[in-house]
Amino acid sequence: MTSRIVGTGHCVPETVITNDDLSKIVDTNDEWISSRTGIKSRRIVKEENTSYMAYMAAKQALDNANILPEDIDLIIVATSTPDTIFPNTACCVQGLLNNKKAVCFDLNAACSGFIYALNVAHSHIVAKMAKKALVIGSECMSKVINWKDRGTCVLFGDGAGAVVIEESKEGFIHTVVGSDGSKGEAIICDGHSNSYFEGEKEKKHPFTEMNGQEVFRFAVKKVPESIGQLLEKSNTLIEEIDWYILHQANERIISSVSKRLGVPMEKFPINLEQYGNTSAASVPILLDEMNRNGMLKKGDKIVISGFGAGLTWGTSLLIW
Ligand code: UT7
């Protein structure tokens, strides 16, 4: 027995910010951003927020699965940019869905969060602790970015993606997840304020700071390595895989993974040119777009992979 994805959805903010728009606020240009990352524009929240986008994506995924909100008994939201520290985002989604029975919590593994959350939800289903789960990645990265830092502000975007999973004979085959806390400084954001008793302590990293080249090197090594481990553990050949749906951080990372694996780029769908890096939301947004475009056929073998702050990584193999 395993679990499988039975519905997908996504929601992105209305406001589109192009590379040219950014060149008016920091010293950058479309040529640099496009050639170094592949990003052309991103969606940025104005009226929307993390829980609203998570709810909208969840509603779509439930409709797509033809499942009622009240039938969901587990909601996990992968996010590092919740609207409130508490209540957690999953509880906010539960309230908006008017669901009364789900267990709800958030999970923070940055850009790997969606893969981590899927793995946890899958484990709940296999352990018979849940029957139908909503797994959502939702982020407002725009709120933790220094909009004066051209090295980071051009990279990220906001959005949410969601899936519904339930018990099944076929679906998730295997997952490889890992973390390396010794490299935590490579992408860091403090976020919290000080307590009265600490006095005035200056925040070292009030906004997202990143050693881009270190993260780049980590990603192009770790992602192919985890895919190799996954295929070996599940006795699957690399050419059996129909799609490699990778976290949408940088087109150069994706093409480097494709080269290292010796797999053509046609098997690596990309939508980062429209949305930038939406952290935990990038994999489920892309999955939903592919599902709605009819690109995913029953029986397709799909690898999904995330990597990012922590450092963390996670890669799953599933049958559609
Ligand atoms: O989801 C979390 C995971 N994060 C990632 O996967 C990010 C991984 N890293 C990357 O994608 C790339 O390292 C970046 C896109 C962040 C940067 O690309 P890079 O080729 O490593 O560039 P760089 O940081 O070495 O910077 C090259 C030059 C520098 O100027 P000098 O020192 O050569 O004069 C930067 O100051 O480009 C400059 N630069 C910019 N120029 C115009 C940095 N940002 C910009 C910018 N516009 N936005």
Side-chain angles (χ1 to χ4, degrees), residues 12-319:
V12 289
E14 273 184 28
T15 307
V16 179
I17 303 291
T18 64
N19 292 347
D20 286 339
D21 293 332
L22 289 181
S23 72
K24 294 183 187 115
I25 60 172
V26 284
D27 179 15
T28 191
N29 53 73
D30 177 52
E31 206 285 314
W32 191 97
I33 305 171
S34 303
S35 62
R36 301 266 176 157
T37 69
I39 300 164
K40 287 276 182 194
S41 62
R42 66 288 293 142
R43 301 295 187 97
I44 299 293
V45 293
K46 279 190 179 164
E47 302 301 326
E48 308 88 344
N49 61 17
T50 298
S51 44
Y52 170 78
M53 292 191 296
Y55 162 65
M56 294 301 281
K59 239 174 39 149
Q60 268 191 18
L62 287 164
D63 282 350
N64 186 236
N66 213 5
I67 286 174
L68 296 170
E70 54 264 38
D71 292 335
I72 294 294
D73 48 14
L74 173 67
I75 304 175
I76 309 179
V77 178
T79 186
S80 31
T81 51
D83 302 323
T84 48
I85 294 171
F86 40 80
N88 66 46
T89 315
C91 282
C92 298
V93 172
Q94 181 193 31
L96 291 166
L97 287 173
N98 203 17
N99 167 295
K100 305 284 181 210
K101 73 170 178 187
V103 171
C104 302
F105 58 94
D106 288 2
L107 185 156
N108 177 356
C111 304
S112 313
F114 180 74
I115 314 289
Y116 271 57
L118 256 186
N119 193 33
V120 173
H122 165 76
S123 308
H124 271 66
I125 287 175
V126 172
K128 305 255 179 226
M129 290 161 68
K131 283 199 165 78
K132 293 182 197 301
L134 254 173
V135 183
I136 307 165
S138 186
E139 302 277 17
C140 285
M141 290 302 291
S142 60
K143 296 187 181 177
V144 293
I145 291 298
N146 176 358
W147 287 98
K148 291 183 178 148
D149 174 17
R150 67 176 183 174
T152 50
C153 77
V154 302
L155 304 174
F156 295 95
D158 302 332
V163 299
V164 179
I165 68 170
E166 68 179 14
E167 190 183 305
S168 172
K169 283 198 187 113
E170 205 174 57
F172 283 93
I173 298 178
H174 210 84
T175 295
V176 169
V177 277
S179 319
D180 179 0
S182 72
K183 304 259 167 50
E185 297 262 332
I187 318 183
I188 191 162
C189 177
D190 288 349
H192 301 286
S193 48
N194 298 330
S195 97
Y196 170 80
F197 296 98
E198 287 178 300
E200 285 296 311
K201 271 191 191 164
E202 203 184 319
K203 286 187 203 169
K204 273 199 198 151
H205 315 281
F207 295 106
T208 304
E209 287 175 29
M210 178 170 69
N211 180 336
Q213 292 190 0
E214 186 179 348
V215 179
F216 194 100
R217 281 193 297 274
F218 152 74
V220 298
K221 184 169 172 280
K222 194 51 88 178
V223 174
E225 192 180 291
S226 67
I227 292 174
Q229 289 166 355
L230 184 74
L231 297 181
E232 196 185 318
K233 282 189 179 175
S234 51
N235 256 326
T236 305
L237 298 171
I238 203 155
E239 50 275 15
E240 286 179 54
I241 304 301
D242 297 287
W243 298 108
Y244 294 84
I245 303 177
L246 267 47
H247 167 48
Q248 303 285 296
N250 185 325
E251 197 170 346
R252 288 191 295 139
I253 294 179
I254 299 174
S255 67
S256 168
V257 172
S258 129
K259 276 198 198 86
R260 281 182 192 222
L261 293 175
V263 172
M265 273 300 275
E266 296 79 74
K267 287 195 175 184
F268 291 79
I270 287 178
N271 65 3
L272 58 78
E273 71 280 5
Q274 297 174 63
Y275 303 130
N277 177 345
T278 56
S279 188
S282 83
V283 168
I285 291 175
L286 182 52
L287 194 65
D288 181 51
E289 288 191 335
M290 293 176 73
N291 187 21
R292 279 167 205 277
N293 291 342
M295 290 166 75
L296 305 176
K297 305 273 175 295
K298 194 167 167 35
D300 275 0
K301 285 191 175 164
I302 303 172
V303 165
I304 55 176
S305 185
F307 54 88
L311 296 173
T312 55
W313 61 93
T315 304
S316 295
L317 172 62
L318 58 105
I319 295 185

